[in-house]
Amino acid sequence: MHMGVAERKERHKEDLKREILDAAKLLFAEKGLEATSIRAIAEKIEYSPATIYLYYKDKNEIVHALHSEGFKLLVSHFEVLNHISHPFERLKGMGRAYIQFALQNPDIYKLIFNMEEPLKHVANCFEEWDEGDRAFDILLKTVGECQKLDYFKDFATEQVSFVIWSTMHGLCTLRTTGHLSHVAAA
């Protein structure tokens, strides 16, 4: 079975978009967002900047694509746990999944949680930001189910969820930046 011209073009387009995003992700992690230009991304994949503009209108759009992808990946780490019926066990699993996500994808983790510029870009350019909200909604729902079984009694669901997320985020950030091993060694 032969691939038609249209399919081949479509695959090439998807491959190229993937290359652009991967190069951007590496450069953002290395140099930071502000210091990374479309030209630098183009040079990394050995294309002209004009080629990148065929797929992304500007750097913000690249940032948004990486952000969305990162959150989809995080949500997929959570969705694997849907079969765990006891909410507190599922919550513990989510904590482990979050850590695993951060350690396996440190550059994505840094981009979506530790760099302020992407969040500004996302907030300024795109009204809906479904992926980030969805990840937090899964946590809220799970905490709410825990509360029905008398865990976290007398606390607001949003507050408990935020404290859990802040704690996990703090641990992952300390770990991915090397501070945790420094503390452990000291």
Side-chain angles (χ1 to χ4, degrees):
M1 164 140 161
H2 291 295
M3 197 188 310
V5 175
E7 288 98 337
R8 208 177 357 261
K9 273 188 173 156
E10 188 55 38
R11 185 192 284 168
H12 176 69
K13 183 179 154 183
E14 289 311 308
D15 289 348
L16 191 52
K17 284 174 88 170
R18 179 76 270 144
E19 264 188 83
I20 292 168
L21 292 181
D22 288 344
K25 189 168 64 184
L26 278 172
L27 289 168
F28 293 157
E30 249 170 57
K31 303 179 190 314
L33 210 71
E34 294 309 316
T36 301
S37 62
I38 292 282
R39 177 173 299 285
I41 296 167
E43 278 170 15
K44 189 145 187 85
I45 60 170
E46 298 175 355
Y47 277 94
S48 72
T51 305
I52 292 184
Y53 288 116
L54 292 173
Y55 300 102
Y56 298 100
K57 76 173 199 292
D58 55 19
K59 197 163 65 168
N60 291 351
E61 229 175 45
I62 293 174
V63 169
H64 184 256
L66 285 171
H67 229 241
S68 299
E69 228 178 53
F71 274 105
K72 279 184 186 135
L73 190 60
L74 176 59
V75 165
S76 74
H77 274 66
F78 288 161
E79 284 175 343
V80 173
L81 306 165
N82 284 345
H83 69 281
I84 302 174
S85 57
H86 196 288
F88 193 67
E89 292 307 313
R90 192 178 339 120
L91 185 64
K92 290 193 290 191
M94 285 173 70
R96 288 190 289 272
Y98 188 88
I99 292 171
Q100 187 185 25
F101 168 78
L103 298 181
Q104 286 174 353
N105 310 282
D107 46 354
I108 296 176
Y109 187 81
K110 185 177 174 196
L111 182 81
I112 64 177
F113 287 126
N114 289 349
M115 292 169 87
E116 63 175 301
E117 299 104 319
L119 200 55
K120 281 186 197 152
H121 288 299
V122 172
N124 292 341
C125 309
F126 302 91
E127 300 310 303
E128 331 64 70
W129 183 47
D130 301 337
E131 292 87 4
D133 292 342
R134 220 170 121 218
F136 196 69
D137 286 344
I138 294 170
L139 177 59
L140 278 174
K141 181 176 165 279
T142 305
V143 168
E145 289 173 17
C146 286
Q147 289 179 308
K148 287 186 185 130
L149 299 178
D150 283 343
Y151 292 91
F152 315 117
K153 270 197 324 223
D154 311 322
F155 292 101
T157 310
E158 287 78 9
Q159 285 173 320
V160 174
S161 300
F162 190 72
V163 168
I164 290 170
W165 175 59
S166 303
T167 304
M168 296 311 298
H169 173 63
L171 285 170
C172 289
T173 302
L174 289 170
R175 175 76 192 267
T176 54
T177 55
H179 293 293
L180 205 57
S181 53
H182 178 75
V183 171

